[in-house]
Amino acid sequence: GEPLEEGALLKNPEYANTLKSLAQNGTDGFYFGPIANDIVAKVQGASWNPGVLSLKDLANYAVKERDPVCSDYRGYEICGMGPPSSGALTVGQILGLIEPFDIGALGAESPESWRLIGDASRLAFADRGRYMADIDFVPMPLTGLLDKEYLAQRSKLLESNQALESVEPGMPAFSHAMRLADDEAIEFPSTSHFSIVDAMGNAVSMTTTIENGFGSRLMVRGFMLNNELTDFSFATHSDGDPIANRLEPGKRPRSSMAPTIVMQDGKPVIVTGSPGGSRIIGYVAQSLIALIDWKKSPQGAVSMPHLVNRFGTYDIEAGTTAERLAPALEALGYETSIRDLNSGLHIIQITDQGLIGGADPRREGIVIGE
Protein backbone atom coordinates (compact mmCIF):
# COMPACT_ATOMS: atom_id res chain seq x y z
CA GLY A 1 0.00 0.00 0.00
CA GLU A 2 3.01 2.35 0.03
CA PRO A 3 4.93 3.61 -3.01
CA LEU A 4 8.50 2.43 -3.36
CA GLU A 5 11.15 5.02 -2.56
CA GLU A 6 13.58 6.09 -5.24
CA GLY A 7 16.49 3.68 -5.37
CA ALA A 8 14.62 0.84 -3.67
CA LEU A 9 15.19 -2.65 -5.09
CA LEU A 10 12.03 -4.27 -6.42
CA LYS A 11 12.11 -8.06 -6.63
CA ASN A 12 9.53 -10.14 -8.51
CA PRO A 13 10.32 -13.81 -7.82
CA GLU A 14 6.97 -14.97 -9.22
CA TYR A 15 7.83 -13.46 -12.58
CA ALA A 16 11.32 -14.97 -12.46
CA ASN A 17 9.74 -18.38 -11.97
CA THR A 18 7.37 -17.72 -14.91
CA LEU A 19 10.35 -16.93 -17.15
CA LYS A 20 12.13 -20.08 -15.96
CA SER A 21 9.06 -22.12 -16.89
CA LEU A 22 9.00 -20.56 -20.37
CA ALA A 23 12.72 -21.27 -20.81
CA GLN A 24 12.25 -24.89 -19.80
CA ASN A 25 8.88 -25.69 -21.35
CA GLY A 26 8.50 -23.23 -24.23
CA THR A 27 5.12 -21.75 -25.09
CA ASP A 28 3.32 -24.92 -24.02
CA GLY A 29 4.31 -23.97 -20.50
CA PHE A 30 2.26 -20.78 -20.90
CA TYR A 31 -0.83 -21.79 -22.88
CA PHE A 32 -1.29 -25.08 -21.01
CA GLY A 33 -0.76 -26.21 -17.43
CA PRO A 34 -0.47 -24.28 -14.16
CA ILE A 35 0.18 -20.81 -15.66
CA ALA A 36 -2.82 -21.11 -17.98
CA ASN A 37 -4.97 -22.34 -15.09
CA ASP A 38 -3.99 -19.32 -12.98
CA ILE A 39 -4.69 -16.86 -15.82
CA VAL A 40 -8.19 -18.24 -16.38
CA ALA A 41 -8.94 -18.35 -12.64
CA LYS A 42 -7.83 -14.73 -12.20
CA VAL A 43 -9.98 -13.47 -15.12
CA GLN A 44 -13.07 -15.44 -14.16
CA GLY A 45 -12.66 -14.59 -10.48
CA ALA A 46 -12.12 -10.83 -10.87
CA SER A 47 -14.00 -8.89 -8.22
CA TRP A 48 -15.25 -6.37 -10.81
CA ASN A 49 -16.45 -7.28 -14.29
CA PRO A 50 -15.29 -10.93 -14.24
CA GLY A 51 -14.43 -12.29 -17.68
CA VAL A 52 -15.28 -15.47 -19.56
CA LEU A 53 -11.76 -16.43 -20.72
CA SER A 54 -11.42 -20.23 -20.79
CA LEU A 55 -8.63 -22.79 -20.98
CA LYS A 56 -9.89 -23.60 -24.48
CA ASP A 57 -9.29 -19.97 -25.52
CA LEU A 58 -5.66 -20.18 -24.46
CA ALA A 59 -5.18 -23.64 -26.01
CA ASN A 60 -6.61 -22.41 -29.34
CA TYR A 61 -4.37 -19.33 -29.54
CA ALA A 62 -1.65 -19.42 -32.19
CA VAL A 63 1.13 -16.94 -32.88
CA LYS A 64 1.08 -15.84 -36.53
CA GLU A 65 4.17 -14.86 -38.45
CA ARG A 66 3.21 -12.29 -41.07
CA ASP A 67 5.01 -10.64 -43.95
CA PRO A 68 6.28 -7.12 -43.30
CA VAL A 69 4.71 -4.15 -45.03
CA CYS A 70 7.30 -2.05 -46.88
CA SER A 71 7.11 1.28 -48.66
CA ASP A 72 9.67 3.39 -50.55
CA TYR A 73 10.76 6.80 -49.31
CA ARG A 74 13.57 8.82 -50.88
CA GLY A 75 15.56 5.74 -51.84
CA TYR A 76 14.97 3.88 -48.58
CA GLU A 77 12.72 0.87 -47.99
CA ILE A 78 10.66 1.49 -44.83
CA CYS A 79 9.55 -1.89 -43.44
CA GLY A 80 7.27 -2.51 -40.49
CA MET A 81 4.46 -4.47 -38.93
CA GLY A 82 1.44 -5.13 -41.10
CA PRO A 83 -2.20 -5.82 -40.26
CA PRO A 84 -3.69 -6.19 -37.77
CA SER A 85 -1.33 -3.36 -36.83
CA SER A 86 -1.95 -0.15 -38.75
CA GLY A 87 1.57 1.10 -38.01
CA ALA A 88 3.55 0.36 -41.17
CA LEU A 89 0.68 1.23 -43.51
CA THR A 90 -0.05 4.58 -41.88
CA VAL A 91 3.62 5.56 -41.48
CA GLY A 92 4.17 4.56 -45.12
CA GLN A 93 1.22 6.67 -46.24
CA ILE A 94 2.42 9.75 -44.31
CA LEU A 95 5.87 9.51 -45.88
CA GLY A 96 4.45 8.82 -49.33
CA LEU A 97 2.15 11.83 -49.12
CA ILE A 98 4.95 14.27 -48.21
CA GLU A 99 7.55 12.81 -50.58
CA PRO A 100 6.74 15.25 -53.43
CA PHE A 101 7.61 18.18 -51.14
CA ASP A 102 11.11 19.26 -50.11
CA ILE A 103 10.66 18.86 -46.37
CA GLY A 104 14.45 18.79 -45.99
CA ALA A 105 14.87 22.30 -47.38
CA LEU A 106 11.95 23.65 -45.32
CA GLY A 107 13.51 22.36 -42.10
CA ALA A 108 12.23 21.28 -38.71
CA GLU A 109 11.39 24.81 -37.54
CA SER A 110 9.10 25.66 -40.46
CA PRO A 111 5.31 25.83 -39.92
CA GLU A 112 5.01 24.78 -43.57
CA SER A 113 6.84 21.51 -42.79
CA TRP A 114 4.37 20.78 -40.01
CA ARG A 115 1.38 21.75 -42.15
CA LEU A 116 2.44 19.15 -44.70
CA ILE A 117 3.23 16.49 -42.07
CA GLY A 118 0.09 17.24 -40.06
CA ASP A 119 -2.34 17.07 -42.98
CA ALA A 120 -0.56 14.02 -44.43
CA SER A 121 -1.11 12.35 -41.07
CA ARG A 122 -4.79 13.33 -41.06
CA LEU A 123 -5.28 11.86 -44.54
CA ALA A 124 -3.50 8.67 -43.53
CA PHE A 125 -5.54 8.37 -40.32
CA ALA A 126 -8.75 8.78 -42.32
CA ASP A 127 -7.78 5.74 -44.41
CA ARG A 128 -6.69 3.92 -41.26
CA GLY A 129 -10.07 4.43 -39.61
CA ARG A 130 -11.96 3.21 -42.67
CA TYR A 131 -9.93 0.28 -43.97
CA MET A 132 -7.42 -1.13 -41.48
CA ALA A 133 -8.16 -4.16 -39.30
CA ASP A 134 -7.30 -7.85 -38.95
CA ILE A 135 -6.79 -8.91 -42.57
CA ASP A 136 -7.77 -12.49 -41.69
CA PHE A 137 -11.32 -11.22 -41.09
CA VAL A 138 -11.67 -8.16 -43.32
CA PRO A 139 -10.46 -7.85 -46.94
CA MET A 140 -8.10 -4.88 -47.07
CA PRO A 141 -6.71 -2.77 -49.93
CA LEU A 142 -3.21 -3.52 -48.66
CA THR A 143 -1.44 -2.75 -51.94
CA GLY A 144 -3.78 0.07 -52.89
CA LEU A 145 -3.14 2.06 -49.71
CA LEU A 146 0.57 2.36 -50.55
CA ASP A 147 0.20 2.59 -54.33
CA LYS A 148 2.36 5.42 -55.69
CA GLU A 149 -0.37 6.75 -57.99
CA TYR A 150 -2.95 6.71 -55.21
CA LEU A 151 -0.64 8.57 -52.83
CA ALA A 152 0.33 11.06 -55.54
CA GLN A 153 -3.34 11.81 -56.12
CA ARG A 154 -3.99 12.23 -52.37
CA SER A 155 -0.82 14.31 -52.02
CA LYS A 156 -2.29 16.98 -54.31
CA LEU A 157 -4.64 17.85 -51.44
CA LEU A 158 -1.57 19.18 -49.60
CA GLU A 159 -0.81 21.81 -52.23
CA SER A 160 -2.97 24.38 -50.42
CA ASN A 161 -1.28 26.95 -48.19
CA GLN A 162 -3.81 26.37 -45.38
CA ALA A 163 -4.84 23.46 -43.19
CA LEU A 164 -7.36 21.15 -44.83
CA GLU A 165 -10.86 22.12 -43.70
CA SER A 166 -12.01 18.50 -43.64
CA VAL A 167 -10.48 15.11 -44.34
CA GLU A 168 -12.19 12.04 -45.81
CA PRO A 169 -10.90 8.55 -46.56
CA GLY A 170 -9.71 8.01 -50.12
CA MET A 171 -10.64 5.27 -52.56
CA PRO A 172 -7.54 3.09 -53.00
CA ALA A 173 -7.50 0.34 -55.61
CA PHE A 174 -9.12 -2.76 -54.12
CA SER A 175 -9.82 -6.26 -55.44
CA HIS A 176 -13.07 -6.49 -53.43
CA ALA A 177 -16.22 -4.43 -53.22
CA MET A 178 -15.86 -1.80 -50.50
CA ARG A 179 -18.56 -0.64 -48.15
CA LEU A 180 -17.12 0.15 -44.76
CA ALA A 181 -17.79 2.72 -42.04
CA ASP A 182 -15.23 4.63 -39.97
CA ASP A 183 -13.79 3.07 -36.84
CA GLU A 184 -14.80 4.01 -33.28
CA ALA A 185 -12.03 2.32 -31.25
CA ILE A 186 -10.59 3.56 -27.98
CA GLU A 187 -6.80 3.30 -27.88
CA PHE A 188 -4.64 3.90 -24.82
CA PRO A 189 -0.89 4.64 -24.68
CA SER A 190 0.61 1.91 -22.48
CA THR A 191 3.30 0.51 -24.67
CA SER A 192 7.02 -0.24 -24.53
CA HIS A 193 9.67 -0.47 -27.23
CA PHE A 194 13.27 -1.53 -27.74
CA SER A 195 15.62 -1.65 -30.72
CA ILE A 196 18.57 -4.08 -30.97
CA VAL A 197 21.36 -4.70 -33.47
CA ASP A 198 23.82 -7.48 -32.65
CA ALA A 199 27.44 -8.09 -33.66
CA MET A 200 26.33 -10.25 -36.58
CA GLY A 201 24.15 -7.48 -38.02
CA ASN A 202 20.82 -8.99 -36.99
CA ALA A 203 18.28 -6.27 -36.21
CA VAL A 204 15.18 -6.34 -34.00
CA SER A 205 12.56 -3.63 -33.58
CA MET A 206 10.00 -4.71 -30.99
CA THR A 207 6.94 -2.92 -29.62
CA THR A 208 4.76 -4.50 -26.96
CA THR A 209 1.60 -3.33 -25.22
CA ILE A 210 -0.74 -4.19 -22.37
CA GLU A 211 -3.16 -1.43 -23.46
CA ASN A 212 -3.97 1.13 -20.75
CA GLY A 213 -1.97 1.73 -17.58
CA PHE A 214 -1.56 -1.59 -15.73
CA GLY A 215 -3.55 -3.36 -18.45
CA SER A 216 -6.62 -5.05 -17.00
CA ARG A 217 -5.35 -4.34 -13.44
CA LEU A 218 -5.03 -8.11 -12.94
CA MET A 219 -1.67 -9.69 -12.10
CA VAL A 220 -0.87 -13.39 -12.48
CA ARG A 221 2.43 -15.09 -11.70
CA GLY A 222 4.17 -11.73 -11.50
CA PHE A 223 2.96 -10.18 -14.78
CA MET A 224 0.05 -7.95 -15.78
CA LEU A 225 -2.77 -9.19 -17.99
CA ASN A 226 -3.51 -6.87 -20.91
CA ASN A 227 -6.68 -4.97 -21.75
CA GLU A 228 -6.37 -5.24 -25.52
CA LEU A 229 -10.11 -5.33 -26.25
CA THR A 230 -10.22 -1.53 -26.22
CA ASP A 231 -8.32 -1.57 -29.54
CA PHE A 232 -11.51 -2.89 -31.17
CA SER A 233 -14.44 -0.74 -32.25
CA PHE A 234 -17.29 -1.62 -29.89
CA ALA A 235 -19.73 -0.29 -32.48
CA THR A 236 -20.13 -2.92 -35.21
CA HIS A 237 -21.89 -0.78 -37.83
CA SER A 238 -22.51 2.87 -38.65
CA ASP A 239 -25.58 3.83 -40.72
CA GLY A 240 -25.88 0.20 -41.78
CA ASP A 241 -22.28 -0.12 -43.01
CA PRO A 242 -19.94 -2.54 -41.18
CA ILE A 243 -16.86 -1.27 -39.34
CA ALA A 244 -13.71 -3.15 -40.36
CA ASN A 245 -12.25 -3.18 -36.83
CA ARG A 246 -15.43 -4.38 -35.13
CA LEU A 247 -15.19 -6.95 -32.34
CA GLU A 248 -15.49 -10.57 -33.50
CA PRO A 249 -14.58 -13.95 -31.94
CA GLY A 250 -11.02 -15.01 -32.72
CA LYS A 251 -10.18 -11.65 -34.31
CA ARG A 252 -7.08 -9.66 -33.39
CA PRO A 253 -7.57 -5.97 -32.63
CA ARG A 254 -6.03 -3.28 -34.78
CA SER A 255 -3.10 -1.53 -33.13
CA SER A 256 -0.83 1.40 -33.92
CA MET A 257 2.41 -0.35 -33.06
CA ALA A 258 5.03 0.62 -35.63
CA PRO A 259 8.30 -1.20 -35.04
CA THR A 260 10.32 -0.21 -38.10
CA ILE A 261 13.48 -1.36 -39.87
CA VAL A 262 14.72 0.82 -42.73
CA MET A 263 16.61 -0.91 -45.53
CA GLN A 264 18.96 0.46 -48.16
CA ASP A 265 20.48 -1.76 -50.86
CA GLY A 266 19.05 -4.78 -49.05
CA LYS A 267 20.70 -4.02 -45.71
CA PRO A 268 19.25 -2.49 -42.51
CA VAL A 269 20.39 1.08 -41.87
CA ILE A 270 17.87 2.35 -39.26
CA VAL A 271 15.99 0.54 -36.49
CA THR A 272 13.31 2.63 -34.77
CA GLY A 273 10.01 2.46 -32.92
CA SER A 274 8.12 3.97 -30.01
CA PRO A 275 5.37 3.48 -27.45
CA GLY A 276 2.50 5.95 -27.29
CA GLY A 277 -0.90 4.57 -28.33
CA SER A 278 -2.14 5.88 -31.67
CA ARG A 279 0.47 8.68 -31.47
CA ILE A 280 3.12 6.00 -32.08
CA ILE A 281 2.56 6.51 -35.80
CA GLY A 282 3.35 10.22 -35.59
CA TYR A 283 6.39 9.66 -33.38
CA VAL A 284 7.88 7.05 -35.71
CA ALA A 285 7.13 9.05 -38.87
CA GLN A 286 8.75 12.11 -37.28
CA SER A 287 11.83 10.09 -36.33
CA LEU A 288 12.25 8.94 -39.93
CA ILE A 289 11.77 12.44 -41.33
CA ALA A 290 14.26 13.78 -38.78
CA LEU A 291 16.88 11.19 -39.76
CA ILE A 292 16.36 11.12 -43.52
CA ASP A 293 15.25 14.68 -44.40
CA TRP A 294 16.64 16.80 -41.58
CA LYS A 295 19.87 14.79 -41.19
CA LYS A 296 19.60 14.63 -37.43
CA SER A 297 21.55 12.14 -35.34
CA PRO A 298 19.57 9.37 -33.62
CA GLN A 299 19.76 11.22 -30.30
CA GLY A 300 18.81 14.47 -32.00
CA ALA A 301 15.83 12.76 -33.63
CA VAL A 302 14.47 11.26 -30.40
CA SER A 303 15.05 14.43 -28.37
CA MET A 304 13.41 16.93 -30.72
CA PRO A 305 9.98 18.30 -29.71
CA HIS A 306 6.89 16.45 -30.91
CA LEU A 307 4.00 17.75 -32.99
CA VAL A 308 1.29 15.20 -33.79
CA ASN A 309 -1.94 15.61 -35.74
CA ARG A 310 -4.24 12.61 -36.11
CA PHE A 311 -7.79 13.93 -36.32
CA GLY A 312 -7.52 17.70 -36.81
CA THR A 313 -6.27 19.10 -33.51
CA TYR A 314 -2.52 19.67 -33.51
CA ASP A 315 -0.94 18.25 -30.34
CA ILE A 316 2.15 20.28 -29.47
CA GLU A 317 4.58 19.09 -26.82
CA ALA A 318 4.40 21.25 -23.70
CA GLY A 319 7.55 22.84 -22.31
CA THR A 320 9.45 22.66 -25.60
CA THR A 321 10.43 25.03 -28.38
CA ALA A 322 7.56 23.55 -30.42
CA GLU A 323 5.20 25.80 -28.45
CA ARG A 324 6.56 28.71 -30.50
CA LEU A 325 4.94 27.15 -33.60
CA ALA A 326 1.43 27.26 -32.11
CA PRO A 327 0.49 30.78 -33.31
CA ALA A 328 1.67 30.06 -36.86
CA LEU A 329 -0.22 26.75 -36.97
CA GLU A 330 -3.35 28.45 -35.66
CA ALA A 331 -2.99 31.07 -38.40
CA LEU A 332 -2.94 28.20 -40.90
CA GLY A 333 -6.32 27.06 -39.57
CA TYR A 334 -5.45 24.45 -36.95
CA GLU A 335 -6.80 24.10 -33.46
CA THR A 336 -3.82 23.42 -31.19
CA SER A 337 -3.43 21.61 -27.87
CA ILE A 338 -0.32 22.13 -25.73
CA ARG A 339 0.16 18.87 -23.83
CA ASP A 340 2.66 16.27 -22.67
CA LEU A 341 3.60 13.87 -25.45
CA ASN A 342 5.27 10.91 -23.80
CA SER A 343 7.01 9.01 -26.58
CA GLY A 344 9.71 6.42 -25.94
CA LEU A 345 11.67 6.27 -29.19
CA HIS A 346 14.72 4.03 -29.37
CA ILE A 347 16.76 4.45 -32.56
CA ILE A 348 19.83 2.69 -33.88
CA GLN A 349 21.54 3.95 -37.03
CA ILE A 350 23.85 1.46 -38.77
CA THR A 351 26.76 3.17 -40.51
CA ASP A 352 30.03 2.06 -42.10
CA GLN A 353 31.77 3.43 -39.03
CA GLY A 354 29.60 1.52 -36.57
CA LEU A 355 26.33 1.81 -34.68
CA ILE A 356 24.88 5.10 -33.38
CA GLY A 357 22.06 4.98 -30.83
CA GLY A 358 19.52 7.36 -29.38
CA ALA A 359 17.20 6.83 -26.39
CA ASP A 360 14.18 9.03 -25.71
CA PRO A 361 14.78 11.25 -22.66
CA ARG A 362 11.04 11.27 -21.87
CA ARG A 363 11.02 7.71 -20.51
CA GLU A 364 13.31 5.08 -19.08
CA GLY A 365 15.81 4.23 -21.78
CA ILE A 366 19.50 3.91 -22.39
CA VAL A 367 21.94 3.32 -25.23
CA ILE A 368 24.21 0.34 -24.55
CA GLY A 369 26.84 -1.07 -26.91
CA GLU A 370 30.00 -3.14 -26.97
Side-chain angles (χ1 to χ4, degrees), residues 222-255:
F223 60 90
M224 303 299 303
L225 301 183
N226 71 41
N227 189 31
E228 213 62 40
L229 282 169
T230 58
D231 270 359
F232 281 115
S233 171
F234 288 171
T236 61
H237 292 72
S238 178
D239 295 329
D241 293 332
I243 293 172
N245 190 39
R246 63 189 179 276
L247 183 65
E248 297 179 83
K251 191 175 185 179
R252 295 164 202 249
R254 187 195 64 207
S255 81

Side-chain angles (χ1 to χ4, degrees), residues 346-368:
H346 287 156
I347 299 176
I348 300 173
Q349 193 168 27
I350 304 164
T351 73
D352 292 338
Q353 291 72 43
L355 305 180
I356 307 170
D360 203 316
R362 300 166 182 85
R363 292 201 190 199
E364 305 90 343
I366 191 170
V367 179
I368 301 176

Side-chain angles (χ1 to χ4, degrees), residues 146-216:
L146 294 176
D147 180 75
K148 288 288 187 183
E149 290 186 13
Y150 172 67
L151 292 176
Q153 169 212 340
R154 294 276 276 171
S155 183
K156 291 178 181 178
L157 296 171
L158 304 179
E159 293 175 356
S160 166
N161 57 7
Q162 288 289 117
L164 295 174
E165 290 186 11
S166 62
V167 167
E168 298 294 334
M171 291 290 288
F174 197 11
S175 59
H176 296 72
M178 284 190 295
R179 185 166 180 175
L180 296 170
D182 294 337
D183 179 66
E184 297 181 23
I186 309 167
E187 195 165 358
F188 296 106
S190 290
T191 334
S192 300
H193 179 86
F194 61 73
S195 298
I196 299 174
V197 176
D198 71 11
M200 303 296 293
N202 300 300
V204 175
S205 179
M206 177 178 157
T207 312
T208 180
T209 182
I210 59 172
E211 185 68 12
N212 200 351
F214 296 100
S216 62

Side-chain angles (χ1 to χ4, degrees), residues 1 14 43 66 72 106 124 133 137 140 168 210 232 240 249 254 273 280 282 291 301 307 335 341 349 369:
E14 282 193 295
V43 170
R66 302 178 188 266
D72 296 328
L106 289 170
F137 282 73
M140 272 184 57
E168 298 294 334
I210 59 172
F232 281 115
R254 187 195 64 207
I280 288 173
L291 291 164
L307 297 95
E335 180 181 338
L341 291 174
Q349 193 168 27

Side-chain angles (χ1 to χ4, degrees), residues 12 21 123 126 130 135 145 149 177 255 261 297 304 312 334 370:
N12 190 344
S21 176
L123 289 168
R130 176 68 58 88
I135 201 166
L145 287 165
E149 290 186 13
S255 81
I261 297 177
S297 67
M304 68 178 294
Y334 294 106
E370 293 183 0

Side-chain angles (χ1 to χ4, degrees), residues 15-42:
Y15 187 50
N17 289 331
T18 297
L19 295 178
K20 287 178 183 176
S21 176
L22 288 171
Q24 293 166 0
N25 305 310
T27 55
D28 281 354
F30 185 87
Y31 294 106
F32 303 89
I35 294 176
N37 290 334
D38 286 355
I39 291 172
V40 169
K42 177 68 76 168

